[in-house]
């Protein structure tokens, strides 16, 4: 990818007047932070880091910042150190609009030249895919540290803003861990996350909450999937959802069909990919604890733990303490497309090669509702409770939401709650505020409220229940008895419309 060149400016960019490009959806806070950092007029060099999983728009964001500020942009790739230095020197020559590129002997010489671009004004020097360069040049982080420290001495005349971009992976995380020398110098750290379920609906231009959720359950909040992976194919309405699935994620002729396997292989690298795929299959089948996953794999607990650690380090796994049993850690698939792959597509790849997608999808619909949409709906409910709910709903402004279970076989077997809300209390487990059930494909009636009451009865001896509010989250409606109980203040009812549009 070429450097952004020919846009050098003599004046300082006003970040408040530089509009975010239309093609960059959302990311308003990230754009503002990057523009402020890049255009900071104060003397002295600055270091920033931008991380994010693949397909989240990190590169587009950094390229757009470079264009808006007239900064320098270079995207690394897997190559030897000599080739990388040659490429970056050629981009530097294009940026400076000179005929002959410099022949830098090492990264120290190259960095000195790049940082010198900030001698006259605040200017971002952006190096994307930084981890690819580090793979060939392990000393590069130390060289950067030395170059920045050298410029951080009076007189502070240089105002280069060095931005290092890379995927959220163990290498990038380690380079900018709290104990690293580069982290100590970094004035800015951004982690570009997938869009939440509400933003994803806006991205896809879907107003119907049920259809928005169904699409989110397949592709999540990854911006690239909207345009680059399905050719702007958006389901027209609910009736078109089945057809859309067959046209896109179950269609071998579309990039989206192959993306899940590529994503897992790309993220986990040379580590045992077969084990990682099997762990994802276990998670997709409802195994959420270390022990359940190890049993599914037929492996020792330590082997399963290593695979879980790899997936967690690459952002493909979400791990959270059980809301009712703090000694248990539960794991869930973070990326919806991977959950769809391992519950629906992967078990039926042979059938997809021998039959049409419509037939395969009709067979898979039950698994989709049970193994994909159901757990994802519960996660959306937890996200709503922790991020979007009016604080008055649970009596706190800062809350956490997690899955909770009671496993006392003598009295409370099978009493699980999909949405357990606690007050956020630093790193400690806060007071219990709400216990809720979430159901995607079945309507809810008085029996669900009675189940909630049994859970609360089982908790009475171990928790303060004075502030606990029972809650039912349903995508398929509530019975008249539940609406009456809601009117009396006995239970909180949350439907899809409230999840997407209310608080």
């Amino acid at each position: 990818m070429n450097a952004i060149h020919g846009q050098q400016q003599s004046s300082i960019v006003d970040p408040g007047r530089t509009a975010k490009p239309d093609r960059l959806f959302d990311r308003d806070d990230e754009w503002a932070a990057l523009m402020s950092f890049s255009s900071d007029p104060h003397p002295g060099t600055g270091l920033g880091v931008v991380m994010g999983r693949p397909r989240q728009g990190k590169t587009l964001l950094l390229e757009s910042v470079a264009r808006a500020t007239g900064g320098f942009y270079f995207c690394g790739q897997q190559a030897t150190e000599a080739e990388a230095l040659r490429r970056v020197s050629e981009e530097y020559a294009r940026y400076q609009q000179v005929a002959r590129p410099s022949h830098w002997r090492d990264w120290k010489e190259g960095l000195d030249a790049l940082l010198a671009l900030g001698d006259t004004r605040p200017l971002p020097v952006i190096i994307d895919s930084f981890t690819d360069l580090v793979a060939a040049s392990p000393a590069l982080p130390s060289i950067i540290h030395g170059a920045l420290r050298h410029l951080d001495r009076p007189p502070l005349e240089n105002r280069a803003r060095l931005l290092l971009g890379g995927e959220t992976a163990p290498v990038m995380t380690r380079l900018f861990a709290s104990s690293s020398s580069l982290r100590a110098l970094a004035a800015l750290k951004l982690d570009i996350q997938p869009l939440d379920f509400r933003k994803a609906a806006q991205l896809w231009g879907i107003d119907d909450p049920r259809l928005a959720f169904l699409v989110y359950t397949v592709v999540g909040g990854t911006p690239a999937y909207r345009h680059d992976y399905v050719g702007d194919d958006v389901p027209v309405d609910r009736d078109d959802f089945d057809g859309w699935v067959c046209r896109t994620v179950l269609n071998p002729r579309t990039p989206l069909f192959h993306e899940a396997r590529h994503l897992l292989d790309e993220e986990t690298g040379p580590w045992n990919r077969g084990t990682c795929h099997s762990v994802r299959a276990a998670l997709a089948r409802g195994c959420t604890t270390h022990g359940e996953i190890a049993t599914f794999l037929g492996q020792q607990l330590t082997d399963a733990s290593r695979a879980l650690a790899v997936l967690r380090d690459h952002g493909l796994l979400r791990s959270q303490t059980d809301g009712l049993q703090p000694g248990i850690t539960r794991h869930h698939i973070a990326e919806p497309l991977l959950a769809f792959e391992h519950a629906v597509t992967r078990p039926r790849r042979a059938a997809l090669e021998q039959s049409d997608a419509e037939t395969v999808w009709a067979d898979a619909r039950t698994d989709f509702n049970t193994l994909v949409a159901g757990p994802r709906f519960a996660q959306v409910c937890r996200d709503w409770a922790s991020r979007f709910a009016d604080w008055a709903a649970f009596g706190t402004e800062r809350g956490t939401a997690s899955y909770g279970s009671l496993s006392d076989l003598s009295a409370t077997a099978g009493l699980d709650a999909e949405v357990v809300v606690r007050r956020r209390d630093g790193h400690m487990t806060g007071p219990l505020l709400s216990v809720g059930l979430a159901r995607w494909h079945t309507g809810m009636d008085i029996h669900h409220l009675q189940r909630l009451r049994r859970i609360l009865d089982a908790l009475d001896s171990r928790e303060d229940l004075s502030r606990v509010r029972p809650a039912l989250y349903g995508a398929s409606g509530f019975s008249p008895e539940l609406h009456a109980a809601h009117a009396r203040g006995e239970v909180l009812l949350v439907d899809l419309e409230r999840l997407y549009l209310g608080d």
Side-chain angles (χ1 to χ4, degrees):
M1 189 173 294
N2 293 334
I4 308 300
H5 57 86
Q7 300 183 44
Q8 300 180 66
Q9 305 170 18
S10 58
S11 60
I12 295 175
V13 175
D14 182 354
R17 296 185 178 182
T18 306
K20 177 173 66 70
D22 292 338
R23 62 177 182 155
L24 190 61
F25 178 80
D26 195 48
R27 310 303 188 195
D28 295 333
D29 292 341
E30 293 88 344
W31 174 261
L34 284 168
M35 289 299 296
S36 177
F37 173 81
S38 300
S39 307
D40 183 0
H42 294 90
T45 55
L47 174 66
V49 56
V50 181
M51 297 191 294
R53 284 190 29 230
R55 328 296 191 249
Q56 303 309 319
K58 170 183 58 63
T59 292
L60 176 59
L61 181 63
L62 291 174
E63 284 184 330
S64 299
V65 168
R67 291 186 185 279
T69 59
F72 175 86
Y73 175 91
F74 174 76
C75 185
Q77 58 183 229
Q78 295 181 359
T80 64
E81 179 173 286
E83 182 188 355
L85 281 167
R86 183 166 60 250
R87 287 186 61 242
V88 72
S89 68
E90 291 170 352
E91 301 291 8
Y92 175 82
R94 291 191 185 97
Y95 180 84
Q96 293 286 69
Q97 299 181 357
V98 297
R100 298 177 62 113
S102 303
H103 295 287
W104 295 330
R105 293 167 298 180
D106 51 35
W107 273 111
K108 182 181 183 306
E109 187 175 356
L111 280 167
D112 287 343
L114 291 173
L115 294 176
L117 294 172
D119 281 346
T120 58
R121 72 177 183 93
L123 185 139
V125 175
I126 302 172
I127 300 178
D128 202 359
S129 294
F130 180 61
T131 52
D132 286 337
L133 300 180
V134 174
S137 307
L140 182 55
S142 296
I143 296 171
I144 290 175
H145 181 267
L148 293 175
R149 291 300 299 268
H150 175 74
L151 292 172
D152 193 27
R153 299 171 181 169
L156 299 177
E157 298 176 347
N158 182 277
R159 289 179 288 173
R161 311 300 180 221
L162 180 61
L163 280 166
L164 304 177
E167 295 176 3
T168 305
V171 174
M172 200 71 177
T173 303
R174 184 177 67 252
L175 289 174
F176 293 95
S178 58
S179 59
S180 72
S181 57
L182 285 181
R183 173 62 179 268
L185 297 179
L188 175 71
K189 183 180 178 183
L190 291 179
D191 190 354
I192 310 300
Q193 295 287 329
L195 302 172
D196 63 57
F197 67 95
R198 287 187 170 185
K199 290 291 186 182
Q202 296 175 25
L203 172 71
W204 285 82
I206 300 175
D207 297 326
D208 178 358
R210 190 174 189 85
L211 180 59
F213 170 77
L214 286 168
V215 172
Y216 180 77
T217 297
V218 177
V219 294
T222 296
Y225 298 158
R226 167 67 173 82
H227 301 291
D228 301 337
Y229 282 72
V230 299
D232 286 324
D233 186 348
V234 179
V236 177
D237 51 30
R238 296 184 193 180
D239 293 336
D240 188 39
F241 174 72
D242 292 339
W244 176 80
V245 169
C246 295
R247 296 193 303 267
T248 57
V249 71
L250 294 183
N251 182 0
R253 293 184 296 276
T254 66
L256 191 63
F257 177 82
H258 306 281
E259 168 67 2
R261 285 188 297 174
H262 291 168
L263 182 63
L264 187 58
D265 292 345
E266 180 181 289
E267 292 264 17
T268 56
W271 204 82
N272 191 332
R273 291 173 178 171
T275 301
C276 287
H277 278 289
S278 294
V279 168
R280 305 298 297 190
L283 292 165
R285 289 285 163 181
C287 303
T288 61
T289 66
H290 282 65
E292 291 170 347
I293 293 167
T295 300
F296 183 94
L297 268 59
Q299 294 183 343
Q300 297 293 322
L301 193 61
T302 53
D303 296 328
S305 297
R306 282 196 292 270
L308 288 168
V310 170
L311 294 169
R312 185 170 51 249
D313 289 345
H314 286 84
L316 302 176
L317 192 71
R318 179 184 294 193
S319 300
Q320 196 172 29
T321 301
D322 187 290
L324 299 179
Q325 296 189 87
I328 296 177
T329 298
R330 297 193 177 274
H331 311 282
H332 305 278
I333 296 174
E335 171 55 57
L337 184 63
L338 288 177
F340 186 93
E341 162 74 14
H342 285 84
V344 174
T345 309
R346 188 167 177 257
R348 298 173 175 83
R349 286 199 176 272
L352 284 169
E353 294 175 358
Q354 301 171 13
S355 182
D356 59 274
E358 288 77 10
T359 301
V360 174
W361 177 237
D363 172 73
R365 227 8 179 112
T366 299
D367 279 354
F368 171 76
N369 283 322
T370 303
L371 303 177
V372 184
R376 189 58 54 185
F377 179 71
Q379 184 58 57
V380 164
C381 294
R382 291 190 286 269
D383 291 343
W384 176 85
S386 61
R387 299 185 57 186
F388 300 108
D390 181 357
W391 70 270
F394 303 116
T396 183
E397 295 185 12
R398 303 172 64 235
T400 64
S402 59
Y403 185 97
S405 63
L406 293 172
S407 60
D408 183 353
L409 297 179
S410 64
T412 59
L415 293 184
D416 296 347
E418 287 77 19
V419 188
V420 176
V421 180
R422 291 184 178 274
R423 190 176 72 198
R424 193 185 304 274
D425 194 7
H427 297 291
M428 305 297 291
T429 300
L432 186 64
L433 300 176
S434 178
V435 176
L437 304 180
R439 298 291 183 268
W440 155 249
H441 200 52
T442 58
M444 305 188 84
D445 56 29
I446 198 66
H447 295 93
H448 294 92
L449 180 55
Q450 292 169 351
R451 183 182 180 86
L452 270 181
R453 288 169 176 163
R454 289 199 300 272
I455 295 174
L456 294 175
D457 287 343
L459 289 170
D460 190 43
S461 62
R462 66 179 86 171
E463 298 270 5
D464 177 7
L465 304 183
S466 60
R467 300 177 60 187
V468 173
R469 188 170 190 187
L472 295 175
Y473 304 80
S476 299
F478 305 100
S479 69
E481 293 89 348
L482 287 182
H483 282 291
H486 173 73
R488 294 192 299 268
E490 297 175 9
V491 64
L492 173 69
L493 300 184
V494 181
D495 57 15
L496 274 169
E497 283 69 23
R498 186 167 183 179
L499 289 174
Y500 273 87
L501 304 173
D503 52 21

